[in-house]
Amino acid sequence: MEKKWWHKSVVYQVYPRSFQDSNGDGIGDLNGLISRLDYIAELGADLIWLCPVYASPNDDNGYDISDYYSIHPEFGSMDDMDRLISEAARRGICIMMDIVANHTSDEHPWFIESRKNKDNPYRDFYVWKDGAEGGPPSSLQSIFSGSAWNYDPLTQQYYLHMFSRKQPDLNWHHPAVRLALYDVMRFWIKKGIKGFRFDVIDLIAKDLEKDIIANGPLLHEYLQEMHREVLEGTEVVTVGETGGADLDQAILYTDPSRKELDMVFAFQHIALDEIPGKQKWDLKTLESSDLKRVLSAWQTGLSEKGWNSLFWSNHDQPRIVSRWGNDGKFRYESATMFAVLLHLMKGTPYIYQGEEIGMTNVKFPELNYYRDIETFNMYKERNAAGHSHDNIMNSIYVKGRDNARTPMQWNTENNAGFTEGVPWIDVNSNFAVINAASDSESNQSIFRFYQKLIQLRKSNDIVIYGDYQLLDSEPEVFAYERIFKDEKWVIICNLSDKTVQSSLPGSLNGELLIHNYSVPYQSQTLHPYEALVYKLQN
Ligand code: TEU
Ligand code: CA
């Protein structure tokens, strides 16, 4: 396997709106982020995935871009952006930009032109269709609820929007669209960014005649074109969000010889608590055996060709300690156990802001405390379909995206040190207990544990390139080995809140590299969420 600089990287994802406000308007911004670069450097991350900071009407918090070439004033200026890039570089940190290429804002000049008339040169930048039988062209549903088609009276046609009405889908089959987006990428590469995260990249090559939305027939051709036109010969790392991708598709995207993307975010493992074929709001309990099966399949499947991205959370997902761990009594143990499980696997780990201090889901008392358009649309839809208020609120508590979007909890000061003004979304009321300052003073610091895991990765090639082997164990125990040259590491994690008598050896002859309990591991007993890593003597 050809070595790449990002094989060794650890990514820290920043949702800038909620990270650090610098001017008291309640909105996190670039200067705020710059003031926290030392914190990210101290953690040991060396790449920041920066969620969109471009000009945007904020219908979907920046995922509706109205100008790819400018910074939204609420985040700062292009000068601030340049300063972010250079200040990060000074600390050995690179910036990965989030490119939303499947759709723009309806306030993007391309769409403003496109909707004017059917002969406009920008008409084909988007997907326009006549209605059928007095209604939309098809029954296609938007991912944010309701029809994916919106009627525009001016030209009496419908345009496609897989997300909100203010996020019209671009038509990638139109060559000028692709060229325009390649220009955007070149502009940012020239500025010195070192990575791109591509939003819903699996949706770009739709074939509407055949009802294909994700993974359209021309998808890989377009990605190869993009690679040729923009990425070839650069050191820029790419990760595509491909929610529905299975392992075979992931290999197609990430096999280096195909020259498409470096990694993808696939959702198979984080969809394990959803009912297949239903919406994400329809819940089932996670079976640990499913988690072992899926993660192991990806570890093995991408071991020769391609590369894994490793993640539990992002700005769309609930917090991992609340979701599959324990956000009360065993918050430290479960946060660190999930960290061990992921960070010793093969691939590039992504840490979502706040995960490194064990931030939890939020439970606001009323709907009007929430901010996310997906949440509001779902509420309306389910309410109209007869679901009870309590039932819907419960789904929001468990799965709503705002769980990940409450402000970063820095300290015990006003608004957790996030802002001196009124935050755009309330701070989680548990900030007096859960915050970065208190965490670092605690003898059970989650941050320091992450730091140690990152150091282990940075100083041991076995973590980057070692082979992966799942070990036989009880269903609630996830244990695996990494093997590299004459070295072997064994990783043991108890996924449950129970003490487990395990069939794995109760004492291991080797060096204990990291452990989230202070009592020694013995007699095959695993405490709730216990996690440990041994380097075995061969
Ligand atoms: O998310 C794509 C996506 O599939 C999500 O809609 C996901 O299914 C959902 O959030 C789960 O609840 C990306 C971005 O990460 C997200 O923030 C954007 O809203 C979306 O694309 C549209 O750009
Ligand atoms: Ca601000």
Side-chain angles (χ1 to χ4, degrees):
M1 178 180 286
E2 195 192 332
K3 295 195 170 160
K4 301 283 189 185
W5 65 270
W6 43 265
H7 284 164
K8 255 193 152 113
S9 292
V10 174
V11 186
Y12 189 80
Q13 183 191 351
V14 171
Y15 195 70
R17 225 181 161 65
S18 302
F19 196 57
Q20 178 68 66
D21 179 21
S22 71
N23 61 355
D25 66 356
I27 298 170
D29 45 50
L30 293 175
N31 281 326
L33 169 54
I34 292 170
S35 74
R36 294 294 186 183
L37 284 172
D38 285 337
Y39 172 86
I40 298 171
E42 199 190 328
L43 180 64
D46 53 2
L47 189 55
I48 292 174
W49 156 18
L50 183 61
C51 285
V53 289
Y54 316 93
S56 164
N58 277 334
D59 194 49
D60 185 20
N61 282 359
Y63 283 89
D64 47 322
I65 299 173
S66 53
D67 182 1
Y68 294 93
Y69 295 97
S70 70
I71 301 295
H72 195 306
E74 68 190 10
F75 290 129
S77 64
M78 194 56 90
D79 284 346
D80 297 332
M81 186 67 210
D82 290 334
R83 223 156 45 78
L84 170 66
I85 296 170
S86 60
E87 284 297 314
R90 242 169 28 88
R91 295 164 173 83
I93 297 174
C94 302
I95 304 292
M96 170 187 273
M97 290 299 267
D98 204 326
I99 295 275
V100 187
N102 174 70
H103 46 268
T104 67
S105 162
D106 65 341
E107 296 179 37
H108 193 291
W110 298 339
F111 191 75
I112 293 172
E113 284 302 311
S114 185
R115 81 189 322 173
K116 279 186 181 162
N117 55 63
K118 290 184 180 170
D119 306 319
N120 190 283
Y122 286 91
R123 188 67 173 181
D124 289 340
F125 265 55
Y126 297 85
V127 185
W128 292 96
K129 282 219 188 301
D130 289 329
E133 292 151 22
S138 75
S139 60
L140 186 63
Q141 292 291 296
S142 147
I143 294 167
F144 286 170
S145 306
S147 172
W149 296 101
N150 196 49
Y151 184 68
D152 201 35
L154 198 61
T155 53
Q156 302 181 356
Q157 281 195 315
Y158 289 79
Y159 67 84
L160 177 72
H161 62 93
M162 288 311 300
F163 294 90
S164 95
R165 246 179 272 175
K166 287 183 65 63
Q167 292 168 296
D169 280 54
L170 285 163
N171 171 20
W172 268 67
H173 304 306
H174 186 49
V177 167
R178 307 203 297 276
L179 296 184
L181 291 167
Y182 301 158
D183 279 342
V184 168
M185 290 170 64
R186 287 189 199 102
F187 170 83
W188 285 102
I189 292 176
K190 230 174 163 176
K191 283 225 163 272
I193 65 95
K194 288 289 183 301
F196 292 115
R197 177 265 187 188
F198 294 102
D199 194 61
V200 287
I201 199 71
D202 55 341
L203 305 190
I204 57 172
K206 292 166 272 274
D207 185 341
L208 291 172
E209 306 313 313
K210 296 200 201 96
D211 280 333
I212 300 175
I213 302 300
N215 278 303
L218 294 173
L219 178 60
H220 294 285
E221 197 174 311
Y222 292 156
L223 291 178
Q224 286 169 10
E225 178 187 86
M226 179 174 90
H227 192 281
R228 247 186 347 264
E229 294 290 323
V230 186
L231 299 164
E232 185 93 68
T234 71
E235 285 286 281
V236 170
V237 59
T238 57
V239 51
E241 189 199 23
T242 62
D246 62 19
L247 188 49
D248 291 336
Q249 287 157 350
I251 295 173
L252 294 181
Y253 285 115
T254 67
D255 174 354
S257 70
R258 293 173 51 87
K259 303 193 176 203
E260 297 187 14
L261 299 171
D262 294 319
M263 343 171 211
V264 292
F265 292 125
F267 293 174
Q268 259 183 13
H269 68 298
I270 49 170
L272 289 172
D273 56 10
E274 292 166 17
I275 301 176
K278 293 230 178 171
Q279 288 184 305
K280 74 170 197 180
W281 311 104
D282 301 303
L283 308 169
K284 75 184 198 39
T285 11
L286 171 75
E287 298 293 338
S288 45
S289 54
D290 284 340
L291 190 64
K292 286 159 71 167
R293 178 176 48 77
V294 168
L295 286 180
S296 297
W298 284 76
Q299 283 292 295
T300 315
L302 293 182
S303 63
E304 303 293 322
K305 289 182 206 158
W307 191 256
N308 266 298
S309 62
L310 308 169
F311 70 101
W312 294 126
S313 37
N314 60 40
H315 64 294
D316 296 331
Q317 299 293 329
R319 296 283 183 178
I320 188 65
V321 282
S322 302
R323 185 180 196 171
W324 294 343
N326 177 304
D327 58 12
K329 185 171 169 207
F330 297 120
R331 193 175 62 87
Y332 170 79
E333 289 78 4
S334 63
T336 50
M337 181 279 290
F338 276 107
V340 169
L341 187 55
L342 198 77
H343 282 251
L344 273 302
M345 286 190 174
K346 186 169 178 176
T348 299
Y350 289 73
I351 300 166
Y352 179 67
Q353 66 184 44
E355 182 186 326
E356 76 285 6
I357 55 165
M359 277 178 62
T360 70
N361 281 355
V362 71
K363 227 177 194 174
F364 291 133
E366 300 290 341
L367 188 65
N368 63 12
Y369 284 72
Y370 286 85
R371 296 289 175 265
D372 180 17
I373 182 164
E374 183 191 51
T375 293
F376 293 138
N377 288 1
M378 181 281 279
Y379 189 94
K380 262 184 248 149
E381 189 178 67
R382 296 214 155 186
N383 189 254
H387 294 245
S388 73
H389 172 81
D390 289 353
N391 177 295
I392 307 177
M393 289 310 287
N394 192 50
S395 318
I396 297 172
Y397 293 154
V398 180
K399 275 306 197 51
R401 304 196 298 183
D402 284 335
N403 281 313
R405 299 179 180 183
T406 59
M408 178 71 186
Q409 292 160 213
W410 293 107
N411 52 44
T412 56
E413 286 159 33
N414 235 351
N415 294 314
F418 164 70
T419 181
E420 279 164 15
V422 181
W424 71 277
I425 184 171
D426 275 6
V427 176
N428 192 319
S429 59
N430 64 19
F431 78 89
V433 179
I434 304 174
N435 62 76
S438 307
D439 179 272
S440 75
E441 283 155 21
S442 160
N443 54 13
Q444 290 199 317
S445 165
I446 301 171
F447 181 94
R448 276 205 303 282
F449 198 92
Y450 267 83
Q451 210 178 26
K452 199 167 166 193
L453 280 171
I454 295 171
Q455 281 161 7
L456 279 177
R457 165 174 294 268
K458 300 269 173 193
S459 44
N460 293 278
D461 271 353
I462 186 171
V463 182
I464 324 270
Y465 295 110
D467 288 334
Y468 170 94
Q469 178 72 54
L470 181 71
L471 294 174
D472 266 341
S473 61
E474 290 59 36
E476 55 278 69
V477 178
F478 195 147
Y480 60 92
E481 286 176 345
R482 300 294 306 277
I483 302 145
F484 187 66
K485 298 186 176 153
D486 55 2
E487 228 180 282
K488 185 190 273 184
W489 288 17
V490 48
I491 292 90
I492 302 177
C493 296
N494 179 1
L495 296 175
S496 78
D497 61 359
K498 310 257 168 355
T499 301
V500 178
Q501 267 318 112
S502 124
S503 55
L504 295 160
S507 70
L508 289 162
N509 183 19
E511 183 190 348
L512 183 61
L513 296 172
I514 192 163
H515 189 191
N516 65 355
Y517 272 80
S518 49
V519 291
Y521 172 61
Q522 58 193 12
S523 323
Q524 301 181 296
T525 303
L526 285 169
H527 301 97
Y529 302 107
E530 184 162 355
L532 53 138
V533 180
Y534 269 97
K535 175 180 178 172
L536 296 192
Q537 276 158 7
N538 254 345

